[in-house]
Amino acid sequence: MLKDVLRGSFLAVVLLLGAGCGEADRFAKGWDQGGTLHEATMRDWAFAVDANRLATSADFVRERIPDMPEEGVPISSALVEKCLSDMSLRFAVDYVKAHEKLDYCFDYTERMLGRLEQEYASQARATE
């Protein structure tokens, strides 16, 4: 169920965002390659570089939602990375693995995509 909601929400958001936005520098070619934090602790995640966290998040997204179209991977990965990074700053501990928090972060991603979809739909109606 979560996979279906994420796929539907991200597609609407991607289409709306893609209508007038260029590719952000954060998503330069190869941004989703080379992540090494799959077994990282929350402490390791907190001190990892942004590019590694983002690339690892892309791997998590592709693993959890293998049939997600590539257009949805950047925004979903960015939201998962933000969630894990925010958590890691509060709970930078060695006894919790970052991947153990993925259920929460995928729920967060679903909620945020829903909010973005509503916001862009509202803005689209306002400009008509």
Side-chain angles (χ1 to χ4, degrees):
M1 169 112 163
L2 171 65
K3 290 179 184 181
D4 293 333
V5 173
L6 276 175
R7 269 192 298 271
S9 293
F10 95 83
L11 186 56
V13 171
V14 167
L15 291 173
L16 290 166
L17 289 174
C21 297
E23 188 173 6
D25 288 341
R26 189 172 193 210
F27 300 109
K29 186 174 181 167
W31 69 270
D32 57 340
Q33 304 299 310
T36 62
L37 301 171
H38 304 90
E39 294 296 321
T41 66
M42 293 299 277
R43 179 180 163 79
D44 294 336
W45 189 277
F47 290 100
V49 297
D50 181 59
N52 196 2
R53 290 191 309 254
L54 189 59
T56 303
S57 295
D59 292 341
F60 289 150
V61 167
R62 287 188 177 109
E63 180 182 300
R64 288 261 179 132
I65 311 171
D67 54 343
M68 176 178 278
E70 281 302 306
E71 298 83 26
V73 175
I75 192 166
S76 298
S77 301
L79 289 168
V80 169
E81 186 271 329
K82 179 188 179 340
C83 176
L84 286 172
S85 295
D86 288 351
M87 271 191 191
S88 73
L89 294 175
R90 289 179 295 199
F91 307 107
V93 295
D94 286 326
Y95 57 88
V96 177
K97 301 278 187 163
H99 69 79
E100 293 172 5
K101 299 300 182 182
L102 285 177
D103 287 340
Y104 175 84
C105 287
F106 273 88
D107 288 344
Y108 166 83
T109 298
E110 179 183 358
R111 288 190 311 273
M112 292 307 297
L113 286 172
R115 288 180 187 163
L116 286 169
E117 183 178 19
Q118 289 174 349
E119 179 65 26
Y120 282 99
S122 174
Q123 287 180 4
R125 284 191 301 273
T127 59
E128 290 176 352

